[in-house]
Structure formats: structure tokens, C-alpha cells
Amino acid sequence: MTTNHFCTLCGEKLSDVFVEGRVRPACSGCGHIVYLNPLPAVAAVLLQSGRVLLIRRGVEPGAGLWALPSGFMEQDESPEQAVVREVLEETNVQCVPGRLLGATTHHDHVFGHVLVLAFAARFADGDLRAGDDAREALWFDTQNLPDMAFRSHAEFVRQAEQLMECNT
Ligand SMILES: [Zn+2]
């Protein structure tokens, strides 16, 4: 149940032990318990005139398919700062993050369990240009989304649209 077979503290072999309500890898040498937690990631829903900004993924999972600009949070970032950075890296667009739309977890074969925080965001500036691990960056009609890498991303687009309707 873990990718680590040895203790990162003392080098002893890890074994599965029932502790605090579930089976967890634990070290027989020093007693260190390995708590496995999902990786925090952010995704941005930029809406403008009925269109949403999407990127075509260059890497797995979902390589070749479309997704919201998204990525993992760095250690010293707020979720909002991660949104601004990821959108800039992948699309060259400066954005202003808005409301948290929702949170979801998924499991994939590359990163394991991931926690995704999705934020509404407003376009601020910049000419669209794909960068980092995005192959393309384009605006899509929200009523006609392309093949999406993650079902949750399409749902976040719907939620952002509903939010916009409530605000007008
Ligand atoms: Zn140990």
C-alpha cells in the first residue's frame, strides 16, 4: 500500500500495521508511522463571454486531452497563488482568482490520490500562449467542450457558469 519499502528515518523495512483506524506502513525499527495523504492541487476556471480557457495536456495522466489549467501546489504557496502561477505557466495569462468552486479527490496511475481545489478566476491580461506541460491553450464555448481528461473539470466549468448566472 506504499511506494516506500524502507523507513526514510532509519532505513529499516516497513510493514503494514493497523494504527489509528486503518492499515498504515510502519517501521519495525524506530516505530515511525507513514501517513499517506492526497497531494493538493489547484485548477482554475476562467470564464469570459461564454467561453472557458482550457489547455491540451502534454503529459500523463490524460495526455492529449483537454483540461482546466491546473497543477500541484508548492510548499510555500496559498491555493490562490498556485492558481495564478499555474495559469500563467500553462497559458501565459494573468488572472485574478475568485471563489472556491469546490474540492474533489481522484486517483490516477501517475500521482496516486490527488485533492483538487477548483477556483473561479477572472482574466486580467496576457496573450494566450501554451507553456510548461500544456501543448495548446484555447478558449472553448462552454456548451461545446472538447474531450476532457478529467470529468471533475467539466463539472467545475458547470459550477462556475451557475455562479456567474447567480451574480448577474
Ligand atoms: Zn525507522
Side-chain angles (χ1 to χ4, degrees):
M1 66 177 292
T2 174
T3 51
N4 292 338
H5 299 291
F6 297 95
C7 179
T8 53
L9 300 185
C10 76
E12 276 293 312
K13 222 174 167 193
L14 296 176
S15 54
D16 286 347
V17 173
F18 190 83
V19 55
E20 291 181 44
R22 63 191 293 170
V23 174
R24 307 173 193 276
C27 175
S28 55
C30 71
H32 176 60
I33 300 161
V34 180
Y35 292 93
L36 299 170
N37 304 104
L39 273 175
V42 295
V45 184
L46 267 84
L47 288 179
Q48 200 175 44
S49 309
R51 296 186 305 165
V52 61
L53 181 57
L54 299 179
I55 58 105
R56 196 152 76 88
R57 291 178 60 83
V59 295
E60 292 294 338
L65 299 175
W66 293 85
L68 297 169
S70 61
F72 293 108
M73 287 176 62
E74 297 288 357
Q75 203 71 269
D76 55 356
E77 282 181 324
S78 70
E80 289 84 357
Q81 287 170 329
V83 164
V84 170
R85 179 182 51 76
E86 287 291 345
V87 169
L88 184 63
E89 284 176 1
E90 295 186 347
T91 71
N92 196 46
V93 161
Q94 294 277 359
C95 73
V96 179
R99 189 183 298 187
L100 178 68
L101 293 167
T104 186
T105 54
H106 72 258
H107 180 268
D108 70 59
H109 61 286
V110 180
F111 297 109
H113 293 273
V114 177
L115 167 70
V116 183
L117 306 174
F119 285 82
R122 186 168 52 77
F123 176 89
D125 194 25
D127 298 319
L128 209 53
R129 189 176 66 240
D132 197 29
D133 50 11
R135 274 188 219 164
E136 289 179 76
L138 283 175
W139 293 95
F140 283 89
D141 189 325
T142 57
Q143 301 306 313
N144 195 13
L145 296 178
D147 284 339
M148 302 288 283
F150 311 110
R151 192 176 45 192
S152 62
H153 285 200
E155 287 165 11
F156 286 133
V157 173
R158 301 281 165 254
Q159 288 172 20
E161 280 189 305
Q162 285 166 8
L163 187 69
M164 295 275 278
E165 283 164 20
C166 293
N167 289 348
T168 52

